[in-house]
Amino acid sequence: MGSDEPGVHPGEPNGALLCIPTAFVSWTGEALDHKIPAAALDGRAVEVRDARSEALGNRGATRVFTTVGPEQEYFLIDEQYYFERPDLVTTGRTLFGAKPPKGHELDDHYFGSIPERVLACMLDTEKELAKLGIPIKTRHNEVAPAQYEVAPIFENSNVGADHQQLTMQIMQNVARRYGLVCLLHEKPFAGVKAAASTTTGR
């Protein structure tokens, strides 16, 4: 399929990709896709609402659904420094080394101004995510040096789970365009305070 045909992204090096929504069920009727029980959750939650309507204070709900907005924290490391560390290349985290001479007193980093190359990478990532319909809302410096965060608008949990996987892949792909490596390990550097990589909810 050529890049000039409808529905094909012109910058896509490998041609077209067709995505077909599916539900995986075994021949015995067991769900093979963990996302199938969302309808069952809705039914049970409505039953609980009916049984406990006075306690919950809501008598009019006919449907219950879950939403999620996973905030993704990540580290951006210059490729040169990344390839000088076999432990980072192999495992995505440090396995040896010493603590930095200065600890976590970099108050100018947390919510500070974003370095120009990093900001360009972030904006390019957001552009790619927008093409996929992923509603990214937040971008800022996180606590640890070279740590950043991106967060979407809350959406249906099943859709949000898929979008989270796509977000991590796009972040890693785009970072390479800027000579950076995106580390998604929640605590890749020993002795450096860093929050969990993904928080599903607030």
Side-chain angles (χ1 to χ4, degrees):
M1 191 177 280
S3 62
D4 58 341
E5 295 184 33
V8 181
H9 189 280
E12 174 57 51
N14 298 316
L17 175 65
L18 176 64
C19 297
I20 304 173
T22 55
F24 298 100
V25 182
S26 73
W27 64 275
T28 61
E30 294 177 272
L32 301 178
D33 184 340
H34 293 299
K35 295 189 291 185
I36 289 177
L41 174 65
D42 171 28
R44 291 295 295 149
V46 170
E47 288 177 22
V48 170
R49 193 271 309 166
D50 290 340
R52 305 276 188 232
S53 60
E54 289 186 13
L56 295 175
N58 186 337
R59 298 179 179 81
T62 58
R63 179 169 177 255
V64 176
F65 63 96
T66 60
T67 61
V68 66
E71 56 184 41
Q72 178 65 55
E73 295 171 2
Y74 59 100
F75 285 78
L76 290 176
I77 310 300
D78 190 285
E79 276 187 341
Q80 176 186 341
Y81 301 130
Y82 173 78
F83 286 119
E84 289 175 358
R85 295 294 300 262
D87 52 346
L88 282 183
V89 174
T90 306
T91 67
R93 62 161 298 152
T94 59
L95 300 179
F96 55 85
K99 288 186 178 182
K102 188 172 184 180
H104 227 111
E105 298 86 3
L106 296 175
D107 295 335
D108 58 337
H109 182 74
Y110 190 42
F111 275 95
S113 61
I114 301 172
E116 189 174 324
R117 179 165 61 146
V118 171
L119 181 57
C121 178
M122 287 177 165
L123 293 173
D124 202 1
T125 299
E126 290 170 9
K127 184 172 68 174
E128 293 297 322
L129 293 174
K131 291 177 184 177
L132 297 173
I134 300 175
I136 294 301
K137 177 81 172 174
T138 304
R139 94 171 80 90
H140 66 85
N141 290 359
E142 253 300 334
V143 176
Q147 187 185 28
Y148 307 94
E149 180 181 314
V150 63
I153 299 171
F154 274 63
E155 56 187 335
N156 175 283
S157 294
N158 286 345
V159 176
D162 290 341
H163 282 174
Q164 175 62 15
Q165 296 299 313
L166 287 168
T167 297
M168 292 189 289
Q169 184 65 58
I170 294 295
M171 287 168 57
Q172 291 180 314
N173 292 348
V174 173
R176 289 303 179 100
R177 299 178 196 167
Y178 291 87
L180 299 166
V181 175
C182 177
L183 300 180
L184 298 171
H185 194 291
E186 63 272 14
K187 298 186 189 304
F189 300 109
V192 174
K193 178 183 178 295
S197 176
T198 305
T199 307
T200 53
R202 296 178 191 264

PDB file of all heavy atoms in Angstrom, residues 41-54:
ATOM      1  N   LEU A  41     -18.527  -5.537  35.525  1.00  0.00           N
ATOM      2  CA  LEU A  41     -18.303  -4.578  36.608  1.00  0.00           C
ATOM      3  C   LEU A  41     -19.451  -3.580  36.672  1.00  0.00           C
ATOM      4  O   LEU A  41     -19.950  -3.251  37.754  1.00  0.00           O
ATOM      5  CB  LEU A  41     -16.979  -3.849  36.382  1.00  0.00           C
ATOM      6  CG  LEU A  41     -16.662  -2.699  37.347  1.00  0.00           C
ATOM      7  CD1 LEU A  41     -16.478  -3.229  38.755  1.00  0.00           C
ATOM      8  CD2 LEU A  41     -15.424  -1.951  36.890  1.00  0.00           C
ATOM      9  N   ASP A  42     -19.885  -3.132  35.520  1.00  0.00           N
ATOM     10  CA  ASP A  42     -21.005  -2.199  35.438  1.00  0.00           C
ATOM     11  C   ASP A  42     -22.246  -2.812  36.083  1.00  0.00           C
ATOM     12  O   ASP A  42     -22.895  -2.203  36.934  1.00  0.00           O
ATOM     13  CB  ASP A  42     -21.274  -1.849  33.970  1.00  0.00           C
ATOM     14  CG  ASP A  42     -22.552  -1.050  33.767  1.00  0.00           C
ATOM     15  OD1 ASP A  42     -22.949  -0.328  34.700  1.00  0.00           O
ATOM     16  OD2 ASP A  42     -23.136  -1.136  32.673  1.00  0.00           O
ATOM     17  N   GLY A  43     -22.566  -4.048  35.708  1.00  0.00           N
ATOM     18  CA  GLY A  43     -23.755  -4.712  36.250  1.00  0.00           C
ATOM     19  C   GLY A  43     -23.700  -4.890  37.750  1.00  0.00           C
ATOM     20  O   GLY A  43     -24.680  -4.616  38.464  1.00  0.00           O
ATOM     21  N   ARG A  44     -22.576  -5.346  38.258  1.00  0.00           N
ATOM     22  CA  ARG A  44     -22.433  -5.574  39.706  1.00  0.00           C
ATOM     23  C   ARG A  44     -22.475  -4.253  40.466  1.00  0.00           C
ATOM     24  O   ARG A  44     -23.068  -4.171  41.539  1.00  0.00           O
ATOM     25  CB  ARG A  44     -21.119  -6.298  40.001  1.00  0.00           C
ATOM     26  CG  ARG A  44     -21.068  -7.724  39.514  1.00  0.00           C
ATOM     27  CD  ARG A  44     -22.077  -8.620  40.219  1.00  0.00           C
ATOM     28  NE  ARG A  44     -21.738  -8.722  41.628  1.00  0.00           N
ATOM     29  CZ  ARG A  44     -22.624  -8.887  42.615  1.00  0.00           C
ATOM     30  NH1 ARG A  44     -23.908  -8.932  42.330  1.00  0.00           N
ATOM     31  NH2 ARG A  44     -22.236  -8.975  43.857  1.00  0.00           N
ATOM     32  N   ALA A  45     -21.850  -3.211  39.922  1.00  0.00           N
ATOM     33  CA  ALA A  45     -21.848  -1.920  40.600  1.00  0.00           C
ATOM     34  C   ALA A  45     -23.263  -1.342  40.687  1.00  0.00           C
ATOM     35  O   ALA A  45     -23.640  -0.756  41.708  1.00  0.00           O
ATOM     36  CB  ALA A  45     -20.927  -0.940  39.880  1.00  0.00           C
ATOM     37  N   VAL A  46     -24.049  -1.520  39.628  1.00  0.00           N
ATOM     38  CA  VAL A  46     -25.434  -1.046  39.652  1.00  0.00           C
ATOM     39  C   VAL A  46     -26.238  -1.827  40.687  1.00  0.00           C
ATOM     40  O   VAL A  46     -27.067  -1.264  41.404  1.00  0.00           O
ATOM     41  CB  VAL A  46     -26.078  -1.148  38.248  1.00  0.00           C
ATOM     42  CG1 VAL A  46     -27.582  -0.897  38.318  1.00  0.00           C
ATOM     43  CG2 VAL A  46     -25.433  -0.156  37.304  1.00  0.00           C
ATOM     44  N   GLU A  47     -25.966  -3.128  40.805  1.00  0.00           N
ATOM     45  CA  GLU A  47     -26.636  -3.949  41.824  1.00  0.00           C
ATOM     46  C   GLU A  47     -26.316  -3.442  43.229  1.00  0.00           C
ATOM     47  O   GLU A  47     -27.200  -3.340  44.084  1.00  0.00           O
ATOM     48  CB  GLU A  47     -26.213  -5.415  41.699  1.00  0.00           C
ATOM     49  CG  GLU A  47     -26.787  -6.134  40.501  1.00  0.00           C
ATOM     50  CD  GLU A  47     -26.274  -7.557  40.387  1.00  0.00           C
ATOM     51  OE1 GLU A  47     -25.826  -8.116  41.421  1.00  0.00           O
ATOM     52  OE2 GLU A  47     -26.298  -8.112  39.279  1.00  0.00           O
ATOM     53  N   VAL A  48     -25.054  -3.119  43.454  1.00  0.00           N
ATOM     54  CA  VAL A  48     -24.651  -2.585  44.763  1.00  0.00           C
ATOM     55  C   VAL A  48     -25.343  -1.249  45.002  1.00  0.00           C
ATOM     56  O   VAL A  48     -25.829  -0.972  46.105  1.00  0.00           O
ATOM     57  CB  VAL A  48     -23.114  -2.420  44.833  1.00  0.00           C
ATOM     58  CG1 VAL A  48     -22.714  -1.638  46.081  1.00  0.00           C
ATOM     59  CG2 VAL A  48     -22.430  -3.774  44.813  1.00  0.00           C
ATOM     60  N   ARG A  49     -25.423  -0.440  43.974  1.00  0.00           N
ATOM     61  CA  ARG A  49     -26.101   0.846  44.098  1.00  0.00           C
ATOM     62  C   ARG A  49     -27.562   0.636  44.464  1.00  0.00           C
ATOM     63  O   ARG A  49     -28.108   1.325  45.328  1.00  0.00           O
ATOM     64  CB  ARG A  49     -25.968   1.623  42.791  1.00  0.00           C
ATOM     65  CG  ARG A  49     -26.356   3.089  42.855  1.00  0.00           C
ATOM     66  CD  ARG A  49     -27.822   3.355  42.581  1.00  0.00           C
ATOM     67  NE  ARG A  49     -28.264   2.726  41.360  1.00  0.00           N
ATOM     68  CZ  ARG A  49     -29.553   2.588  41.039  1.00  0.00           C
ATOM     69  NH1 ARG A  49     -30.492   3.012  41.843  1.00  0.00           N
ATOM     70  NH2 ARG A  49     -29.906   1.990  39.920  1.00  0.00           N
ATOM     71  N   ASP A  50     -28.229  -0.324  43.836  1.00  0.00           N
ATOM     72  CA  ASP A  50     -29.635  -0.603  44.139  1.00  0.00           C
ATOM     73  C   ASP A  50     -29.805  -1.084  45.573  1.00  0.00           C
ATOM     74  O   ASP A  50     -30.729  -0.689  46.276  1.00  0.00           O
ATOM     75  CB  ASP A  50     -30.191  -1.652  43.170  1.00  0.00           C
ATOM     76  CG  ASP A  50     -30.347  -1.101  41.762  1.00  0.00           C
ATOM     77  OD1 ASP A  50     -30.392   0.141  41.624  1.00  0.00           O
ATOM     78  OD2 ASP A  50     -30.396  -1.896  40.810  1.00  0.00           O
ATOM     79  N   ALA A  51     -28.894  -1.965  46.021  1.00  0.00           N
ATOM     80  CA  ALA A  51     -28.991  -2.530  47.361  1.00  0.00           C
ATOM     81  C   ALA A  51     -28.635  -1.516  48.438  1.00  0.00           C
ATOM     82  O   ALA A  51     -29.126  -1.591  49.557  1.00  0.00           O
ATOM     83  CB  ALA A  51     -28.085  -3.755  47.474  1.00  0.00           C
ATOM     84  N   ARG A  52     -27.778  -0.570  48.118  1.00  0.00           N
ATOM     85  CA  ARG A  52     -27.289   0.392  49.117  1.00  0.00           C
ATOM     86  C   ARG A  52     -27.597   1.827  48.700  1.00  0.00           C
ATOM     87  O   ARG A  52     -26.829   2.740  48.984  1.00  0.00           O
ATOM     88  CB  ARG A  52     -25.774   0.243  49.279  1.00  0.00           C
ATOM     89  CG  ARG A  52     -25.323  -1.157  49.617  1.00  0.00           C
ATOM     90  CD  ARG A  52     -25.418  -1.419  51.095  1.00  0.00           C
ATOM     91  NE  ARG A  52     -24.822  -2.690  51.423  1.00  0.00           N
ATOM     92  CZ  ARG A  52     -25.449  -3.620  52.116  1.00  0.00           C
ATOM     93  NH1 ARG A  52     -26.663  -3.411  52.546  1.00  0.00           N
ATOM     94  NH2 ARG A  52     -24.857  -4.755  52.393  1.00  0.00           N
ATOM     95  N   SER A  53     -28.681   2.037  48.018  1.00  0.00           N
ATOM     96  CA  SER A  53     -28.962   3.367  47.480  1.00  0.00           C
ATOM     97  C   SER A  53     -29.042   4.431  48.565  1.00  0.00           C
ATOM     98  O   SER A  53     -28.580   5.552  48.378  1.00  0.00           O
ATOM     99  CB  SER A  53     -30.262   3.349  46.663  1.00  0.00           C
ATOM    100  OG  SER A  53     -31.341   2.948  47.476  1.00  0.00           O
ATOM    101  N   GLU A  54     -29.603   4.094  49.717  1.00  0.00           N
ATOM    102  CA  GLU A  54     -29.708   5.094  50.788  1.00  0.00           C
ATOM    103  C   GLU A  54     -28.337   5.444  51.334  1.00  0.00           C
ATOM    104  O   GLU A  54     -28.028   6.612  51.577  1.00  0.00           O
ATOM    105  CB  GLU A  54     -30.614   4.566  51.898  1.00  0.00           C
ATOM    106  CG  GLU A  54     -32.080   4.501  51.495  1.00  0.00           C
ATOM    107  CD  GLU A  54     -32.976   4.117  52.663  1.00  0.00           C
ATOM    108  OE1 GLU A  54     -32.491   4.142  53.809  1.00  0.00           O
ATOM    109  OE2 GLU A  54     -34.132   3.797  52.408  1.00  0.00           O
TER     110      GLU A  54
END
